[in-house]
Amino acid sequence: MKSKIVQEKPYDKLIRKMFIQTLVLLAASIMVVIWIRFAGRGSFGNGITNLISTAFNIGWDEAASIYRVHVRRNLDIIIMVTIIVFFVISFRLSLLWFTKYFDEIVLGVDQLAKESQYKITMSPELHFMEKKLNQVKDKLEARSKEAQEAVQRKNDLVVYLAHDIKTPLTSVIGYLSLLDETPDMPIAQKSDYVHITLEKAYRLESLINEFFEITRYNLQTVPLKKENIDLYYMLIQMTDEAYPQLSANCKQVVIHAAEDITIYGDSDKLARVFNNILKNAIAYSSDNSTINISAERKDSTTVIQFENAGTIPPEKLGSIFEKFYRIDDARSSATGGAGLGLAIAKDILTLHGGTIEAQSDNSHTVISIILPSAPMS
């Protein structure tokens, strides 16, 4: 039969030291009692008698009588008073030693609250607390840095969008002014101007939608309306809706999935996930290429993959799911979105108990989604 290994807890060292100190204090008290008890006799008694005789200038016999009456007969009281005084002094010193640990803990928490740049240091007995507080400190600093970077990216993006909005708006106003000022304009030219104005208006609408996307980005409290979803039909429908964007760059989508495959979740939210991923695949894949979408059941999960011809630099692969992050910072908002698509996708999948990850080599990028499979009916 194997013996059970008891792992030492982080604070056992501190408790052990406190226990040892208590034993030392108790032993010291006992030694004081024994010493006083035996010291009251023999040479120590003679020494006190000599002290009384010298101090009060009296004879030895009279001093011995005073010693017997006032010292020997009250020896128990003297011992009790001595023990109390000794214990109070020892307890006070012990308390000062013990409260030192609380002061160190309070100081460490203060450093944590004040976001001090220095590492928290404590006594060796509090090493476990020092380690925990420094771990919390490192996590808070990392989160603060991430939040600051996200705010900076958001501010930069708002500036880019505000700048880019001027371009289509100026064009819309310019072409409408020409149409208004030239009522006898040839039909063909007027048609061209109307077509250009409409395109610019659509672009303006897209930019405004991105502003709304930024301001309403918060999925932590969004309720899910889960149901069984026909995944194959959803992918077909999504591909049909993306046909204008696909045909504009001579791209196509091929779906590799069984027609009866299903998933369980919020259909609107998951459709948004797949649309965001497909939108990115179209935007960042090579022209005249094929985007492959596959879906299959594996044990109790469903794996959905989007594969496109295009690469993501290794140093940026881990950041593509951060909000307001765009792979190509040089892109204007005309060629890149708000950097929220994949971040929103990740949050929605997390709410569903799923995961998302990206892999990229020299020629292809694969976005993999893992979702719990639909419950069997």
Side-chain angles (χ1 to χ4, degrees):
M1 182 177 179
K2 293 183 178 179
S3 60
K4 185 178 180 181
I5 299 175
V6 180
Q7 186 176 6
E8 186 179 47
K9 295 180 180 178
Y11 47 81
D12 282 348
K13 185 177 180 180
L14 177 61
I15 294 176
R16 188 162 53 247
K17 186 169 183 177
M18 292 172 59
F19 179 71
I20 292 172
Q21 187 183 21
T22 304
L23 289 179
V24 170
L25 180 62
L26 182 61
S29 300
I30 294 173
M31 293 298 294
V32 169
V33 171
I34 295 173
W35 181 77
I36 294 176
R37 176 70 66 179
F38 285 95
R41 301 180 178 91
S43 60
F44 183 77
N46 293 334
I48 294 178
T49 301
N50 287 328
L51 181 64
I52 294 173
S53 176
T54 303
F56 295 99
N57 195 21
I58 58 178
W60 169 267
D61 293 335
E62 188 178 356
S65 176
I66 293 173
Y67 169 72
R68 284 193 298 271
V69 171
H70 295 286
V71 178
R72 288 292 297 274
R73 291 181 182 179
N74 297 303
L75 188 59
D76 290 339
I77 296 175
I78 293 173
I79 290 173
M80 182 63 67
V81 172
T82 304
I83 290 174
I84 292 173
V85 172
F86 177 79
F87 187 81
V88 168
I89 294 173
S90 300
F91 180 76
R92 177 59 179 168
L93 293 175
S94 177
L95 194 62
L96 289 173
W97 171 83
F98 184 69
T99 54
K100 176 189 71 171
Y101 293 133
F102 287 101
D103 293 338
E104 289 186 20
I105 293 173
V106 171
L107 182 61
V109 173
D110 285 342
Q111 282 186 257
L112 201 62
K114 294 177 181 179
E115 299 181 355
S116 171
Q117 60 179 334
Y118 302 106
K119 284 288 184 181
I120 298 171
T121 56
M122 295 183 177
S123 300
E125 295 82 8
L126 292 175
H127 177 69
F128 69 96
M129 182 64 70
E130 174 187 322
K131 183 178 179 182
K132 290 292 183 184
L133 288 177
N134 279 316
Q135 286 176 349
V136 173
K137 184 175 181 294
D138 292 341
K139 287 182 180 178
L140 290 176
E141 287 177 352
R143 290 177 182 175
S144 176
K145 184 179 179 180
E146 289 175 1
Q148 290 175 0
E149 290 175 351
V151 170
Q152 185 59 48
R153 288 196 297 267
K154 180 178 178 179
N155 292 339
D156 291 343
L157 184 61
V158 169
V159 172
Y160 297 153
L161 290 172
H163 175 269
D164 289 348
I165 279 178
K166 293 180 181 180
T167 302
L169 183 60
T170 301
S171 298
V172 168
I173 294 173
Y175 282 108
L176 288 177
S177 297
L178 287 174
L179 292 171
D180 181 62
E181 295 169 359
T182 315
D184 56 346
M185 182 181 296
I187 298 298
Q189 187 178 5
K190 183 181 293 186
S191 177
D192 288 340
Y193 284 2
V194 169
H195 178 70
I196 294 172
T197 303
L198 184 60
E199 284 186 344
K200 298 299 182 181
Y202 284 146
R203 179 56 194 155
L204 184 60
E205 180 188 33
S206 175
L207 291 170
I208 292 173
N209 286 338
E210 289 188 13
F211 266 120
F212 281 117
E213 191 81 353
I214 294 171
T215 56
R216 68 169 180 252
Y217 177 72
N218 184 7
L219 296 170
Q220 302 304 318
T221 58
V222 174
L224 298 178
K225 298 178 182 178
K226 291 187 175 182
E227 59 183 346
N228 286 321
I229 303 169
D230 186 335
L231 179 59
Y232 183 80
Y233 175 76
M234 177 180 282
L235 296 176
I236 291 291
Q237 186 180 31
M238 176 188 66
T239 303
D240 291 341
E241 292 172 356
Y243 177 76
Q245 291 83 9
L246 291 165
S247 61
N249 296 293
C250 300
K251 299 177 184 179
Q252 62 175 341
V253 172
V254 177
I255 297 174
H256 308 274
E259 294 186 7
D260 61 347
I261 191 168
T262 59
I263 53 176
Y264 185 68
D266 188 312
S267 58
D268 290 337
K269 302 294 188 301
L270 290 177
R272 188 178 184 187
V273 169
F274 301 145
N275 274 311
N276 286 347
I277 296 173
L278 181 59
K279 179 181 176 183
N280 274 291
I282 295 172
Y284 292 99
S285 60
S286 305
D287 291 343
N288 303 300
S289 63
T290 299
I291 299 170
N292 291 292
I293 303 175
S294 62
E296 61 177 334
R297 294 191 69 143
K298 288 186 177 179
D299 300 327
S300 60
T301 63
T302 300
V303 179
I304 305 142
Q305 292 185 321
F306 291 72
E307 180 182 357
N308 64 270
T311 62
I312 299 175
E315 67 275 10
K316 296 186 177 183
L317 197 60
S319 304
I320 63 173
F321 298 109
E322 296 177 6
K323 54 182 175 288
F324 307 113
Y325 183 85
R326 293 193 293 180
I327 295 175
D328 188 356
D329 295 332
R331 288 189 176 211
S332 67
S333 57
T335 54
L340 281 173
L342 293 180
I344 290 173
K346 182 179 180 180
D347 282 355
I348 291 175
L349 291 170
T350 300
L351 291 175
H352 281 79
T355 61
I356 183 172
E357 62 179 17
Q359 296 176 323
S360 185
D361 56 24
N362 294 328
S363 58
H364 290 82
T365 295
V366 179
I367 303 293
S368 300
I369 297 169
I370 300 178
L371 281 169
S373 295
M376 301 302 292
S377 56

